[in-house]
Structure formats: structure tokens, C-alpha cells
Amino acid sequence: MVNLLDRFRGASVRSLAERRPRSVAGQVFVLQAALVVLLVLGAVLALLLQSRSDSDREARNRSVAVAETFAQSPGIHDALTSPDPSQVLQPLTETARRRAGVDFIVVMDTTGLRYTHPQPERIGQRFVGTIEPSLAGRVHTEHVDGPLGDEVQAVVPVTGADGRVVALVSAGLQVKNVTGVVNRQLPVILATSAAGLAVATAGSALVARRLRRQTHGLGPAEMTRVYEHHDAVLHSVREGVVIVAGDGRLLLANDEAERLLNLPPDAEGRAIEDLPGLDPGMAQLLASGRLATDEVVLAADRLLAVNQRPTDRHGASGTVATIRDTTELRALTGRAEGARSRLNLLYDAGVGIGTTLDVVRTAEELAQVAVGRFADFVTVDLADPVLRGEEPRGSAGADMRRTAVSGIRDDHPLYPRGRMIGFLPSTPQARGYGSGRAELVPDLSRAPGWQAQDPERAGQIVAYGIHSLIAVPLKARGVVLGVANFWRSEKPDPFDDDDLALAEELVARAAVCIDNARRYTREHAMAVTLQRSLLPRALPEQSALEVAHRYLPAQSGVGGDWFDVIPLPGSRVALVVGDVVGHGLHAAATMGRLRTAVHNFSTLDLPPDEILGRLDDLVGRIDQDEGDRDEGPEDPGGMAAGAGMTGATCLYAVYDPVSRRCVMARAGHPLPALVHPGGTVEFPDLPAGPPLGLGGIPFETAEIEVAEGSQLVFYTDGLIEDRTRDIDVGLELLRDALSHADRTPEDSCKAVLEALLPAHPKDDVALLIARTRALGRDRVADWDVPFHPGAVAGVRAAAARKLEEWGLGDLAFTTELILSELITNAIRYGAAPVHVRLLHDRGLTCEVADNSSTSPHLRYAATTDEGGRGLFLVAQLSERWGTRYTAHGKVIWAEQPLPGAAGHPRGAGEAVLFDVLDVEPI
């Protein structure tokens, strides 16, 4: 309505202005200009008077300052007491006068006779002015008619050392010079006043122009006609307008207001409270004078929207109210509000459901989103296999587990969470599960099929106040996963078809999230199963280390972390920890391939740096092979799942219990920790090799001596790295958790995980802690062998005596045969020096070392061959044998089980020997 009035008023004003352009705006402008001119003239006069006063005061101040300065200047007393004071003072006063800008400086004695004057002929004459105040010690200023004309002068005393006045000094300016200063300033004053007048005139012109624009040049008659037009429009619009005075009287009500409020014809001028037929609520609002914005008031059978504002912006002298009939609009608004709330519910469901990949949590989110906004109680029943990540079996509604329960109260009689429910075919849940369509039950008290499930509980539910139900199957990819049940109790109206459509759309979104969580649960379980199957199930038996280990998969999926403990010849043990970048089945499978490769390379008994070098080559070949395969015609972009290996890290260490030394090398892996027997924790500085798969960069080893009872701690980066803390903080937490030497490796594993692992780890963790043991000198025997065949017999005899000392006499025969063959081969085909070592551990190990790198080969000798059976005989007499290369040569070793071990009866060595030589025992 306001826009309509504005347009109508503009059209009326334009038409009247075109017919009669006369206006009083020009007269207003002339009046304003005259006032401005008078103000400017008054200001100029005041400025002139003020300037004259200021000039006079300036002249007096300057005269006093110059006279006092000269009276107190150094040497004036000497000049006054000189034989001719005028000769000394005249040049000084003239110089000071010119510099000070005054017209004269006169020095006189106490009788008024001048010593100096700008006109030398007046020297010696009496001073024109009053000197008595100055003789009394005061400064005196005055206007006089002196020799130079009308003057402003100051007289100051010159006092001696005893305080008496000995002379007088006068300085001053002529009045015409002072006035000249004012006259020189007058043009500036006038120019400033003219500028002010121009600005004021421009402002007056702008004001007059604005007035002309606002009144459109109209006079009183024209303005009267404009308001007549406004009055016509006011009473013809379809919106009520009411103006109320500050004392509560009705000043104006247009025709629409009279119709909507049922006002009598004589309503204007009467008090609001006295109007008959006016609704009390509306009367109270209009009489209150308070602000109101689209406030809905029920009047008779209408809903009226009222907007009320004060008529005076600076005070509440009255109010104006506009009234609109919103009865029909209210109904449309209600339906739109319902649609908006449904859209908001669906939006919140899209945001709030499926925040995790957990089936149970997703079902709970569905229940929590719908409670209070759509239903009073929500229950979610899922087929039991779905909770395990499997697809449901069968189409019946039996064997569903209540996964989520949420409601406006907790004392409801519905089945509790976790209950296994077998729904009867007559229930809406079973029908919906079987058909895949939602079921609406408007009145539960009249639903015998639903009551048949549990008559007693059904009675409790109805008595509790729950009266309506919607059961919607959770269906995704054509598979029904369960049923979501929406119960209503607070709202008396039952669910209708619109509610059914909303429930179906809500559940459809949740079903996709539940299915994604189910599939993730299945894949996660498969990956965890694969990961654990590829990790060592039981550590091998060995005597060098006491080992404890942990593997924890990440919450978001397993990764490629692994560890291993590999026994090596000579009672040594290899410790391995690795990490394949990434998560899921591909990372777990890649971890299995690397772990198998490490086992195979370990059988070669290579040093750690060479082991990592071979792994690096293997990873590079795997990446290249998988990259070529993924870029085939079926996947030109190379974007197939699991395409290539993104990298891996590894730490490989070999511990020797005889020398108590540990040789380590790492490929991009975190540093290990070494816990000394006293509890001190350090991180040995190992050379940092590149991650596996980069190629081209050799790896380096580091060798440390480890005291017996120390703990070697190997781990993956998931243990120390976390988004909420820095890696240095993680290392310090690890140091604190390990600084207890009295703990067993098993206890240390528990303490480390409790101190460092968050509640929901983002990466998987592998932890391996090994406490070192030493093989005592009483279990080791070694000899240096002279480099000639005759020395073999002496070593054999010494070995037999050592075996008798160890209680291993049953192994003496086979040990002598093995040593004979190995030492003979070392002397015949190797290089000096030759060294023999026996190790008594879980088995008996014979080692023969020489300085040749020639590799021995096992072959089968023919019946007629005189030699070639040595290594074959060693292989038959021992449980295992092999070659280990060192920095200076090689070591050939052979292991035998101890007597009494399973599968090795007494006399087995002799039987093997006779079988190899193809002879019968005597």
C-alpha cells in the first residue's frame, strides 16, 4: 500500500507542478541569503574590533619586552657611569631598535633627560611622558603625543646593585604603524568573510533546491489537492490503516480498517477502549502504543496481522497501525511451514546420519534424528548377520536384533536394545521386511496382527499412550537389512500418508549409510583376518631373546604393519619391523609378500644392509609390474583399486648372543629404542636409509654392543605419531614408558600401549620388545687350526673332549666327521687362517671359518669317484647346514639336534654314515 501511495503522490505532484510552476522557494532563498550577509558583516565588524584591540595589546607587550630587555642588558650600568653615556648608548639603542621592530628606544636619567633618541638632535632634552611610576620601580605604558607623533610607549626602570633606580628605558611604536598592521590584515579578513559568504550562499541555494524538489514547487492550494488524492487512495486500499493519538483516541481509520475491526461510523475521536464491537485483544494492542511487527491477533473469525509504529520518531505522541487479513494466508503458511520442517529434517538426516562407518552407531543416529521432530519413539531392528558385516539370509522377519532405541522418555515399554526379536508374519515389521514396502498402522489398539506378536507387551504399549506406528524396511541395493519403526504418542493425530512418504525417504537415506557401514565392517573384518593370518601366530623357539609383541589394527582399517622374529645360524636372531604405506586389503597383501621375501632373504644369511637392498629391488619390481597391469586397456588411467605400492619402511636387526652385538639397518623407519639394564633409554643413531622402492641409494649398517638384560624396542610410526601431538612428544612418552628395567617385555608392551595409544588410533601399530640374553663362555668352544691337513686330528680330539664335558658324548662321532670334512675342505680349497667354533645351545652348531669367499657346492658323487662326498655327508649327518659370508671370508656351519630330541635316536649318525658309504655296519 505504501508503494501505491508513493506512486500516486508522485503522479499528482508532477501534474500540478507542470500546470503551475510558481513557488516560494526563491523567496526562502533570498531570505536565507540576507540573513547570511548580515551575519557575515557582523562577523567582519567584530573581527576588526578584535583585531584593533589585539594590535594595541601587541604594541604594548612588544614595547615592554624591548624596554625590559635593554634595561637588563649587560654593560648598561657601565655605559651609564661612563664620561659620555650618549656616545656609548646611542649606537646600541639604534641597533636594538631596528632589530626589535620598534620605532624608538630612549635611555634617560632619573630626571627625564635623554641619553639616546632616534633623532640625535633631541638627545639631552626632557623625555615626553610619565616617568614617576617607573621611578617607583614599576613598568608604565601609555599613549602620548611625542616627537614622532602619536605613540604607544613603555617606561621601565634600570636598577643598580643596591636596588635603587639609576636610569630609565623607554621603547614604543607609533600608532600609525600599529594601525598599518591592522590595515594590512584587513584584506585577509575581508577575503575570508567573502569566502564564508560564498559558502553560506551555496548552502542556502542547496537548501532551497532541496525544498523545491520536495515540494515540487507547489503552493498551499496544490498541496491541499495532493492530500485530497491521498485521502481517496487511503480509503480505497485493501489494507486497514488506524492512527491513534497519544491519549488513546482514534484519530483516523480508513474504510478497510472499519470493516476488519467492525468499527461504528462515529469511531474517530473516541477512546479505543470505548469502541463497541472492537475485539479486546485488538483494543489492548492499539491502546498500548507498543511496537508490533506482523503480530497476529484473533478478531472474531479472522486472523489479523498488525504492524504498529509511533507517528513521531522522537517521541510517542501517537501510533499508526496497518492491519491485514491473513486468514487464508495462514493456512497456506502452515502447509509451507510443514514442508520446510520436513526438508530441514531430511537435511539434518543427510548430515547427521552416517558420520561413522559403524552399523550400530548409524542406526542410533537414525533414531536420534527422528525423535521429537517426527516421532516420539524410534526403534531400529536389523538382521543379525548385518551387524557382522554379512548380508541377511532369507526373506522372513525372524531373527532381527533391536539395534537402536530412542525416545522422548526412557520409561517406555518397547523391546530394549540388544533383544533378539522374531516377528510373526502378521506384524507390520514382518510384512514390510518381506515385501520391502512401508507399513502404516494408524491405530495400534485396533491392529490384531501387531498385537499377536506379544499381547501382554502390546497392551502395555497402548496403555502407555503409543497409538500409531510406521514400519519402514531398511532397503539398499535391493536387499532388506532390517526395519525402522516410528511410534507416536504425544501428538493425538495418527500418522498419515504424508508422514509415511517422509518416513520412507528418511529411511532410504539411512539404509544407504547402514549398508555402507555393513560393507565396511565386512571388508575391515576380512582385512584384519588377512593381516593376522600373515603375521606370525607364534614366535619360533630361540635362546637369544625374550620377546613380546603387539599388533593393533587402526579403527579406520588395517594397514601394512608387520614384525618378525627369525632364528639364524650360530644362535643368532633376526628382528624385523616394517610398515607398508596405506590401508586395506592391498596393504595387507603387500605386507605378506614383503614378509615372505624377508624370510627367503634371511635364509641366505646376508647382512642387514644387503637384505634391505634386495627388498628395495623387489618393491621396485612390484610397483613396475602393478603399474603396467593397471594401465592396461581395462584401466587406461591406472586408477584401479590398489594400483601399485606407494612405499614401505623396514628395520632389520641381527643379534648375536655370543658377542652380544646387534647389527641394524633401516629403510625410512623410525629409530629403535634401547633400554639399558639400569633403566636408561636411548635411541641409537642409525643411518637413515630411504624408504623401500626408491632405488639407487645404498643402505648402511650400524653395530652396537648390547649388555645382557637390555631391551631392544622396535615399533612402527603409528605408535608415536598422532594428529594431536608432535612426534618429539611421542618419543618422550615412549622413553618414559620404557624407563623401567625391572619390567618383563610383556609388561613393557602393556605400559607402552597404555601411555601412547589414543582411544581410537588412526593408524595400525606393530610393537616388538626383546630382552637380550647372552650365550655364556661355558657354552662356546673355539680353536685356531694350523693350515695343514695334519691339524685335523688334533681339532677332532679337542672337540670330542669338549663334547664329553658338555655331556654330549653321543654326538662325538658325527661331530668329528662333520669337522673333518669341513676343516679338510677349508684347508684344501680355502685360505688361512682357519677357525673352528662349537656352540652348545638348543642344538649343537659346528662352524668352520676361513678367509676365502669360494662358495662350496653340494653334489652327488658317482660310485667310482674317490671324493666329492664331503658336503653330502655333512648334509646327511646334520639337521641344517649352510654358508655365511663375512667381511674377510666365509663360515660353513652345520647344526645337529641334541640327544633325546624327537626324530633323532641314538646312533643315527653311524647309520647315516654307513648308508652314505654303502657298507654294512659290523
Side-chain angles (χ1 to χ4, degrees):
M1 187 195 77
V2 175
N3 293 334
L4 178 62
L5 288 174
D6 289 341
R7 290 197 296 269
F8 181 78
R9 182 182 63 183
S12 301
V13 168
R14 285 194 299 271
S15 63
L16 292 173
E18 290 172 356
R19 287 181 293 172
R20 188 170 184 178
R22 293 194 303 264
S23 173
V24 297
Q27 300 176 8
V28 173
F29 169 69
V30 172
L31 178 61
Q32 290 178 339
L35 291 175
V36 170
V37 169
L38 291 176
L39 291 175
V40 170
L41 292 177
V44 170
L45 179 60
L47 288 174
L48 290 174
L49 295 176
Q50 182 65 32
S51 177
R52 185 65 176 266
S53 175
D54 292 344
S55 299
D56 184 69
R57 183 171 57 255
E58 175 64 21
R60 292 175 180 272
N61 292 339
R62 187 185 301 180
S63 299
V64 172
V66 172
E68 286 184 340
T69 301
F70 195 86
Q72 297 175 6
S73 60
I76 190 171
H77 292 87
D78 295 338
L80 292 172
T81 58
S82 65
D84 189 0
S86 296
Q87 185 179 0
V88 178
L89 293 174
Q90 178 67 15
L92 294 177
T93 57
E94 288 301 301
T95 302
R97 177 182 65 81
R98 287 191 295 270
R99 291 183 179 180
V102 296
D103 290 333
F104 65 88
I105 299 176
V106 175
V107 181
M108 68 196 81
D109 60 10
T110 55
T111 63
L113 294 179
R114 300 188 185 100
Y115 292 132
T116 65
H117 195 275
Q119 298 174 357
E121 65 273 10
R122 296 185 180 273
I123 296 175
Q125 298 180 7
R126 187 171 297 279
F127 174 72
V128 180
T130 304
I131 64 174
E132 286 76 10
S134 299
L135 292 175
R138 298 193 300 271
V139 176
H140 178 67
T141 61
E142 61 183 348
H143 280 268
V144 298
D145 186 10
L148 300 180
D150 190 9
E151 302 170 345
V152 177
Q153 64 183 11
V155 182
V156 298
V158 178
T159 58
D162 55 356
R164 291 185 301 103
V165 176
V166 297
L168 301 175
V169 177
S170 175
L173 287 85
Q174 298 182 64
V175 173
K176 64 178 182 179
N177 291 338
V178 177
T179 307
V181 173
V182 175
N183 293 335
R184 288 192 297 272
Q185 295 178 350
L186 185 59
V188 178
I189 296 173
L190 293 177
T192 304
S193 300
L197 178 60
V199 172
T201 303
S204 300
L206 292 176
V207 171
R209 183 180 178 183
R210 183 175 182 84
L211 178 61
R212 185 181 300 109
R213 184 170 59 251
Q214 291 180 347
T215 62
H216 297 277
L218 299 179
E222 287 78 8
M223 294 300 297
T224 302
R225 295 185 59 184
V226 169
Y227 280 106
E228 289 176 354
H229 295 168
H230 285 182
D231 188 66
V233 173
L234 181 66
H235 290 284
S236 64
V237 295
R238 298 292 296 173
E239 184 170 356
V241 178
V242 175
I243 299 178
V244 181
D247 56 0
R249 290 181 299 105
L250 179 63
L251 299 180
L252 174 68
N254 67 350
D255 296 343
E256 182 67 9
E258 293 177 356
R259 184 183 69 83
L260 294 176
L261 301 179
N262 195 22
L263 297 177
D266 58 345
E268 293 184 359
R270 300 173 59 180
I272 292 294
E273 292 83 354
D274 299 337
L275 294 176
L278 185 61
D279 184 81
M282 179 63 72
Q284 181 181 4
L285 175 59
L286 295 177
S288 65
R290 61 180 174 84
L291 293 178
T293 302
D294 287 336
E295 185 171 330
V296 178
V297 179
L298 179 62
D301 57 347
R302 294 187 180 93
L303 290 175
L304 303 180
V306 181
N307 288 276
Q308 186 167 265
R309 294 291 184 274
T311 57
D312 186 1
R313 296 183 179 178
H314 305 289
S317 60
T319 57
V320 58
T322 60
I323 305 171
R324 289 178 290 111
D325 190 354
T326 62
T327 305
E328 295 181 358
L329 181 61
R330 200 68 176 177
L332 295 175
T333 304
R335 289 194 291 270
E337 183 67 22
R340 187 181 65 84
S341 63
R342 291 168 186 252
L343 289 176
N344 288 340
L345 175 60
L346 293 176
Y347 173 79
D348 293 342
V351 175
I353 299 177
T355 58
T356 65
L357 290 173
D358 182 79
V359 175
V360 176
R361 179 58 188 159
T362 305
E364 292 174 348
E365 290 171 347
L366 168 61
Q368 292 170 359
V369 165
V371 166
R373 303 173 63 180
F374 177 68
D376 298 317
F377 298 93
V378 179
T379 59
V380 180
D381 305 321
L382 297 178
D384 205 44
V386 174
L387 299 174
R388 301 190 297 270
E390 305 170 4
E391 290 192 357
R393 296 180 294 271
S395 59
D399 299 334
M400 283 198 290
R401 188 176 298 278
R402 179 138 295 178
T403 309
V405 179
S406 183
I408 58 176
R409 295 192 301 273
D410 297 332
D411 57 346
H412 56 80
L414 300 172
Y415 284 129
R417 176 183 170 182
R419 172 89 173 256
M420 181 68 74
I421 307 172
F423 289 104
L424 297 179
S426 61
T427 60
Q429 290 86 352
R431 292 196 304 268
Y433 188 92
S435 64
R437 294 188 297 272
E439 294 283 334
L440 171 62
V441 183
D443 190 353
L444 291 175
S445 62
R446 299 181 180 180
W450 169 76
Q451 296 179 2
Q453 171 71 29
D454 190 342
E456 181 179 356
R457 187 176 293 271
Q460 295 175 357
I461 292 175
V462 173
Y464 186 78
I466 300 176
H467 57 81
S468 187
L469 166 67
I470 292 179
V472 184
L474 288 154
K475 187 177 182 180
R477 298 183 301 105
V479 178
V480 180
L481 308 175
V483 178
N485 307 290
F486 303 92
W487 312 82
R488 175 171 287 180
S489 63
E490 294 293 323
K491 190 175 180 180
D493 298 333
F495 286 118
D496 54 20
D497 292 338
D498 292 340
D499 296 326
L500 182 64
L502 176 60
E504 288 178 335
E505 187 169 358
L506 180 64
V507 172
R509 300 189 180 193
V512 174
C513 297
I514 291 177
D515 186 58
N516 290 339
R518 177 194 65 81
R519 295 171 65 185
Y520 171 78
T521 301
R522 179 189 62 189
E523 294 178 2
H524 182 70
M526 292 173 57
V528 171
T529 302
L530 174 62
Q531 176 85 345
R532 294 194 181 278
S533 67
L534 295 176
L535 290 172
R537 298 186 178 181
L539 297 181
E541 295 183 359
Q542 44 81 32
S543 303
L545 299 168
E546 179 187 355
V547 181
H549 60 86
R550 291 289 188 278
Y551 170 75
L552 297 177
Q555 183 185 25
S556 59
V558 299
D561 292 13
W562 91 92
F563 63 91
D564 227 326
V565 179
I566 305 173
L568 298 177
S571 298
R572 296 170 303 130
V573 178
L575 300 173
V576 190
V577 175
D579 183 5
V580 176
V581 177
H583 294 85
L585 293 175
H586 177 70
T590 303
M591 177 273 294
R593 299 168 73 175
L594 292 182
R595 180 171 178 258
T596 302
V598 170
H599 271 272
N600 292 335
F601 294 148
S602 297
T603 59
L604 302 177
D605 210 352
L606 299 174
D609 56 339
E610 294 189 26
I611 293 283
L612 294 182
R614 292 176 181 253
L615 284 177
D616 184 59
D617 294 338
L618 174 63
V619 172
R621 289 196 300 271
I622 292 175
D623 281 342
Q624 183 177 2
D625 294 343
E626 293 190 356
D628 294 341
R629 182 169 61 253
D630 293 332
E631 294 177 0
E634 295 182 359
D635 186 20
M639 298 301 293
M645 186 190 308
T646 57
T649 65
C650 184
L651 174 62
Y652 191 94
V654 177
Y655 173 69
D656 187 350
V658 178
S659 62
R660 291 184 292 102
R661 303 192 70 82
C662 183
V663 182
M664 294 180 281
R666 64 182 179 125
H669 204 80
L671 289 171
L674 175 61
V675 185
H676 295 281
T680 305
V681 181
E682 68 169 314
F683 296 92
D685 187 14
L686 304 184
L692 300 176
L694 296 182
I697 303 177
F699 299 95
E700 300 180 52
T701 61
E703 184 174 2
I704 60 174
E705 184 174 353
V706 183
E708 184 177 4
S710 301
Q711 291 187 8
L712 296 169
V713 182
F714 303 90
Y715 52 90
T716 55
D717 55 2
L719 181 67
I720 58 174
E721 292 183 359
D722 189 74
R723 294 179 181 178
T724 60
R725 65 171 182 247
D726 190 73
I727 187 172
D728 294 334
V729 177
L731 290 175
E732 289 302 318
L733 291 175
L734 179 61
R735 184 192 302 272
D736 294 340
L738 292 173
S739 59
H740 299 276
D742 54 337
R743 288 177 179 164
T744 64
E746 188 69 25
D747 294 336
S748 296
C749 282
K750 295 179 182 178
V752 167
L753 295 182
E754 290 176 359
L756 277 85
L757 275 193
H760 304 287
K762 301 298 182 182
D763 195 6
D764 49 348
V765 174
L767 176 63
L768 184 66
I769 300 181
R771 174 176 287 172
T772 59
R773 298 169 179 164
L775 191 63
R777 295 303 304 172
D778 58 337
R779 294 297 189 97
V780 180
D782 54 351
W783 301 273
D784 291 326
V785 182
F787 199 72
H788 58 83
V792 176
V795 176
R796 290 175 56 184
R801 290 192 299 270
K802 194 64 177 178
L803 292 178
E804 289 294 338
E805 179 183 338
W806 286 343
L808 303 177
D810 293 342
L811 299 179
F813 178 73
T814 55
T815 303
E816 290 184 39
L817 289 178
I818 292 173
L819 289 177
S820 295
E821 294 299 332
L822 296 181
I823 295 174
T824 302
N825 282 342
I827 295 174
R828 181 177 298 178
Y829 303 109
V834 177
H835 187 79
V836 175
R837 187 171 72 167
L838 295 181
L839 302 176
H840 179 200
D841 195 12
R842 290 180 176 272
L844 179 64
T845 303
C846 304
E847 296 181 349
V848 177
D850 67 87
N851 269 23
S852 172
S853 299
T854 303
S855 176
H857 296 282
L858 178 67
R859 67 185 183 89
Y860 292 92
T863 305
T864 58
D865 291 344
E866 295 183 1
R869 296 179 178 83
L871 287 180
F872 182 76
L873 181 63
V874 171
Q876 296 299 315
L877 293 176
S878 61
E879 186 177 33
R880 293 189 306 160
W881 76 280
T883 304
R884 177 172 75 254
Y885 292 93
T886 64
H888 305 290
K890 66 178 180 297
V891 175
I892 303 178
W893 54 269
E895 291 184 357
Q896 303 175 74
L898 298 180
H904 295 83
R906 183 183 298 272
E910 291 84 345
V912 171
L913 176 63
F914 294 142
D915 182 64
V916 171
L917 298 178
D918 196 17
V919 298
E920 295 293 334
I922 301 177

